[in-house]
Amino acid sequence: MFYVVLLGMVAGFLALRLYMVLGKRTGHEQPLPKPAEDRAPITVLPRPIETPGESRELFGRNIAPRAEAGLRAIVAAEPGFDVMRFLEGAQSAYRMILEAYWSGDEEQLAWLAEDDVRAAFVAAIAERAEAGHTLENRLVTIERAAITDATLTGKAARITVRFDADIAAVTRDRDGVVVAGSMTDAVETHDIWTFARTLKSSDPNWKLADTDEA
């Protein structure tokens, strides 16, 4: 009987100590999570839609604003069209056409220029030959080439490029005497050329369709 009473006293003492430790708040307890039905709804903020960079990244800085709509139409009609590659090709064509004209290479001009432009070059070559003049010109450098305009009408695409270049030009007579120009002093030239092509045609070449001075 004594042991039963003693064990009861020990159990009571332990229960009291347990209550003192677990039954009182100390101020450092972590709050229990609320049941799902008592929780405040979580507001999910919509993520902003990121739009890619527009024309400056797509076309570069050598594109005039007025040309952008036409270039977009050309790209949409022929997705394989690369604007920067076209601009590089236009510079090569500029050099080739000038050199063909200076040397009187009509065959080269035939596939680089459209008929009316080629005819104008051929007429100038004939006039030069009749006068007995020959050209010893050299394209020193193309300082800048920029697309200034672009249009698409049906499948007919036209792109206008401004070329700022330095050219050394010499004209000689029948006897080889210099009658104009100098190979040591380059002259600044500013040309505006328009290239044309029918999109999705079997001919991938752009031809010179118009020339003008800036």
Side-chain angles (χ1 to χ4, degrees), residues 2-212:
F2 172 76
Y3 290 107
V4 173
V5 174
L6 181 60
L7 291 173
M9 292 176 63
V10 173
F13 175 75
L14 293 175
L16 178 63
R17 295 291 299 173
L18 185 63
Y19 170 76
M20 292 176 65
V21 174
L22 301 179
K24 294 183 178 180
R25 293 183 178 273
T26 64
H28 298 284
E29 298 85 354
Q30 295 296 326
L32 295 176
K34 295 181 180 181
E37 59 271 14
D38 295 336
R39 297 177 193 169
I42 299 175
T43 303
V44 179
L45 297 176
R47 295 180 61 185
I49 299 175
E50 298 181 0
T51 56
E54 288 299 324
S55 57
R56 295 299 90 193
E57 288 73 21
L58 179 60
F59 294 137
R61 292 178 295 177
N62 291 337
I63 311 297
R66 64 176 294 179
E68 292 177 3
L71 289 174
R72 291 182 186 281
I74 293 172
V75 172
E78 192 171 75
F81 176 75
D82 187 303
V83 177
M84 291 300 104
R85 183 175 296 178
F86 166 85
L87 199 52
E88 292 174 1
Q91 294 180 69
S92 297
Y94 181 72
R95 179 182 296 274
M96 293 171 65
I97 292 171
L98 286 180
E99 291 177 350
Y101 168 66
W102 293 335
S103 65
D105 189 342
E106 298 181 15
E107 183 177 351
Q108 180 88 321
L109 291 170
W111 67 272
L112 289 172
E114 291 192 342
D115 292 343
D116 54 345
V117 176
R118 182 191 60 80
F121 278 128
V122 169
I125 291 172
E127 183 178 350
R128 187 173 70 211
E130 184 177 354
H133 292 167
T134 57
L135 302 181
E136 293 183 3
N137 296 0
R138 179 170 60 89
L139 177 60
V140 178
T141 183
I142 299 176
E143 294 290 345
R144 184 170 183 264
I147 296 176
T148 60
D149 200 4
T151 60
L152 179 62
T153 304
K155 293 184 178 181
R158 293 172 67 90
I159 300 179
T160 301
V161 182
R162 171 179 171 139
F163 297 97
D164 298 323
D166 294 333
I167 295 176
V170 169
T171 303
R172 297 182 183 273
D173 62 14
R174 288 187 175 88
D175 299 323
V177 178
V178 175
V179 295
S182 169
M183 290 300 290
T184 58
D185 297 325
V187 178
E188 292 184 5
T189 60
H190 308 283
D191 294 317
I192 297 178
W193 286 14
T194 298
F195 297 89
R197 178 175 173 264
T198 300
L199 299 185
K200 296 184 178 180
S201 66
S202 58
D203 186 359
N205 297 316
W206 291 76
K207 291 189 175 184
L208 181 61
D210 193 16
T211 63
D212 200 356

